[in-house]
Amino acid sequence: MAQFNRVRGTQDFLDMRLFNHTVQTISKHVIRYGFQEISTPILEQTQLFKRILGQQTDVVHKEMYTFDSGDGSHDTCLRPEATASVARAFVEAGIATVPWRVFSSGPMFRRERPQKGRYRQFHQFNIEAIGVPSVMDDVQLIAMLDHLFDQVFNIDGCALQINFLGAKEDRAAHKVALMEFLKVNVEQLCKRCVERATSNTLRVFDCKNPKCQTLLKDAPVVTDYLNQVSQAEWQRVQDGLHDMGVSFAHNPRLVRGLDYYAKTVFEFVSGDLGAQDSFCAGGRYDGLIADLGSKQDYPSLGAAIGIERLMIMLEEQGADAGQHQLPLHLILPMSAEQETLALLLADTLRAAGLVTDVVYGKDSMKRMMRYADRVGAAYAVIVGSNEQASGTVTLKNMRTGDNIEVKQVELASYLLSL
Ligand code: ATP
Ligand code: MG
C-alpha cells in the first residue's frame, strides 16, 4: 500500500496543548493593551504582497506560493505574512476610528529550505496598531512584547535588538552614501547583493552571505544620517525603553524585510534557536496605508511572533504541555450492570466542568487500574454492585492509592472542592 508523507517543510501537531497555551497566553496579554482579534483569509492576491513587501525582498523574490484561479496568471497566493492583509482589510472596510489595534494568528507559507525553526507552513501571531503617529507607541508596543517574553513566558536569554530608520529623507541620504560604498566594494559582493545594490539598496543588510556581512560591518549606517527631528525621536524611543525597564541593543544594521519600514524596527532574538535566531520582529510602517489607496495616511506599527520558534524556546526551557491540562477522572464500572450508571455519572461530572472518561471492556480491576495509571488519571471512580445499591462510589486517589466512599449526588462537588 502506498504510504503518504506530509509535504516537505510542514508539520503535524499531534498534541496541540503547548501550541494552544502559547497562542492563548499571547492573546490574553495583548487584549489587556486594547488589541482585538480579527481574522483575514489565507488566500490573497499575489499583487498585494508584490506591492507591499517589494520585488527585491526574499519573500516575494523566491518564497511565495502562487497559483492561478483558472487563467494561468498566478494572481492568487497563500499569504506569506499578515501585515499586508491586515492593512488591506483596514482600507477595504473603510475603518475610520483609529487607533485600530488588532491581532490575529494563523498559518503563513513560504517556500524556504526547511530546517530547525524554519518551515514552509508555519504560524505567526500578528499584532498591528494602525493610526498611531507617536513614537511613544513604538515604546509601548516593544515594552508590551518585552513584558510578554520576560515576565509572562519567563524566557531566559532572549535579547532585543532595535534600530531607527528615520524619515524618508534620512533614508534617501543614507542610501546615497551606501550606494557609493557598495560601488567601491562591488568586487566583494555576492551576486544577489550586486543586484540589490541598485534595485533595493537597503536590502543588502539582509544578506546572509558571510563575506557580504563582513564587508557591511564598515558600511554607512542609517542612524548616522538622521535629521534633527528624527534624532530627537530616536532619543525618545531609547529613553522611553529605559524608563520602561526594557533592555535592548542598538543594531545599526537591522533593516527588516519590508520596504515600508520607517523609524523604529526591532527583533527579539535567542541563542536557543541556532541560525534561526529571531522569534519576533516588527516595526513602524508609515506610508503603507496611503499606498494601498487610503485617502489619508495612518502611521502604523506591527509585530509578528513566530509561534514554532517560541515553542522551541519554551520546550528547551522545560515547558511541559501536560501542566496546563485539567486532571482526568476515570469512571470504572465493575460489570455491564453499572455501565449506564457510569455514563450518567460521567455526564454530571462533565457538566460541572471536570474532564471525565469511562472505561469499558476491561475484565479485571487490576487491568482497569493499570489503564488508569497509564493514561495518568488523577482519580478513579469505582462503581460496583455495592456502590450501585447504596448510591455511592469508591473514589481512589491514583497518586496516593487512598480510597474513600462518596455519595453519587455529591461526587461532582466533592471533586471540585479538591
Ligand atoms: P528569518 O530572518 O528567520 O528568515 P524573517 O525576517 O523572514 O525571518 P519575518 O518575516 O519577520 O521573518 O517573520 C516574523 C517571524 O516569523 C520571525 O521572527 C520568525 O519567528 C517567524 N518565521 C519567519 N519565517 C519562518 C519560517 N519559515 N518558519 C518558521 N517561522 C518563521
Ligand atoms: Mg525569512
Side-chain angles (χ1 to χ4, degrees), residues 114-130:
Q115 50 199 293
K116 181 185 171 191
R118 191 176 293 290
Y119 311 98
R120 291 181 167 181
Q121 175 173 339
F122 62 98
H123 297 79
Q124 278 185 353
F125 191 102
N126 181 263
I127 301 154
E128 312 287 345
I130 294 182

Side-chain angles (χ1 to χ4, degrees), residues 99-110:
W100 195 54
R101 296 184 202 275
V102 295
F103 70 91
S104 55
S105 67
M108 304 294 155
F109 303 85
R110 297 183 191 177

Side-chain angles (χ1 to χ4, degrees), residues 129-385:
I130 294 182
V132 286
S134 164
V135 289
M136 287 317 279
D137 259 293
D138 305 22
V139 172
Q140 183 171 232
L141 184 88
I142 294 172
M144 172 180 90
L145 292 165
D146 184 75
H147 295 346
L148 174 70
F149 302 132
D150 193 46
Q151 288 154 32
V152 179
F153 283 117
N154 281 313
I155 292 170
D156 285 336
C158 74
L160 168 63
Q161 299 191 347
I162 69 172
N163 195 15
F164 199 79
L165 305 181
K168 246 197 193 125
E169 312 84 79
D170 307 330
R171 290 193 296 284
H174 169 244
K175 189 174 165 182
V176 173
L178 182 58
M179 280 177 100
E180 188 51 40
F181 173 87
L182 296 172
K183 213 162 103 192
V184 174
N185 295 289
V186 68
E187 241 96 274
Q188 297 173 60
L189 292 175
C190 75
K191 232 174 92 199
R192 278 275 284 146
C193 279
V194 174
E195 251 177 69
R196 287 174 177 129
T198 47
S199 60
N200 199 337
T201 320
L202 212 54
R203 290 284 83 76
V204 294
F205 287 113
D206 289 340
C207 185
K208 305 233 154 96
N209 185 313
K211 235 178 109 189
C212 293
Q213 282 190 356
T214 311
L215 174 71
L216 288 166
K217 284 208 174 89
D218 301 322
V221 295
V222 67
T223 35
D224 289 338
Y225 292 82
L226 301 179
N227 66 27
Q228 261 187 352
V229 176
S230 299
Q231 266 177 34
E233 284 186 319
W234 175 214
Q235 197 55 50
R236 270 180 86 196
V237 170
Q238 296 176 82
D239 293 346
L241 291 173
H242 280 304
D243 293 344
M244 298 293 289
V246 176
S247 33
F248 62 88
H250 174 210
N251 174 356
R253 276 165 290 276
L254 180 68
V255 292
R256 307 279 309 119
L258 220 103
D259 276 1
Y260 283 82
Y261 276 117
K263 298 185 184 173
T264 319
V265 292
F266 61 88
E267 277 188 13
F268 285 86
V269 298
S270 160
D272 279 358
L273 292 170
Q276 279 56 250
D277 63 354
S278 141
F279 63 94
C280 170
R284 175 170 280 282
Y285 50 91
D286 296 351
L288 185 152
I289 301 289
D291 217 48
L292 280 175
S294 162
K295 286 200 192 76
Q296 195 189 328
D297 187 34
Y298 292 94
S300 302
L301 267 176
I305 303 171
I307 300 295
E308 284 85 351
R309 292 191 196 169
L310 182 54
M311 281 169 60
I312 291 175
M313 291 161 51
L314 294 173
E315 272 169 347
E316 281 180 9
Q317 297 184 10
D320 174 9
Q323 82 192 29
H324 312 294
Q325 195 187 4
L326 292 168
L328 169 68
H329 304 99
L330 269 191
I331 305 201
L332 314 180
M334 290 294 106
S335 73
E337 275 85 78
Q338 287 91 44
E339 285 182 351
T340 309
L341 174 59
L343 278 185
L344 292 170
L345 274 174
D347 268 357
T348 46
L349 298 195
R350 290 174 190 135
L354 297 159
V355 180
T356 313
D357 199 4
V358 183
V359 184
Y360 305 106
K362 300 261 184 294
D363 48 17
S364 73
M365 182 73 165
K366 207 168 143 196
R367 281 200 185 170
M368 284 199 183
M369 284 301 153
R370 214 182 286 148
Y371 174 80
D373 249 346
R374 188 154 51 80
V375 297
Y379 283 89
V381 180
I382 299 158
V383 206
S385 51

Side-chain angles (χ1 to χ4, degrees), residues 30-31 34-38 101-104:
V30 304
I31 282 171
F35 287 85
Q36 284 187 17
E37 185 164 17
I38 62 161
R101 296 184 202 275
V102 295
F103 70 91
S104 55

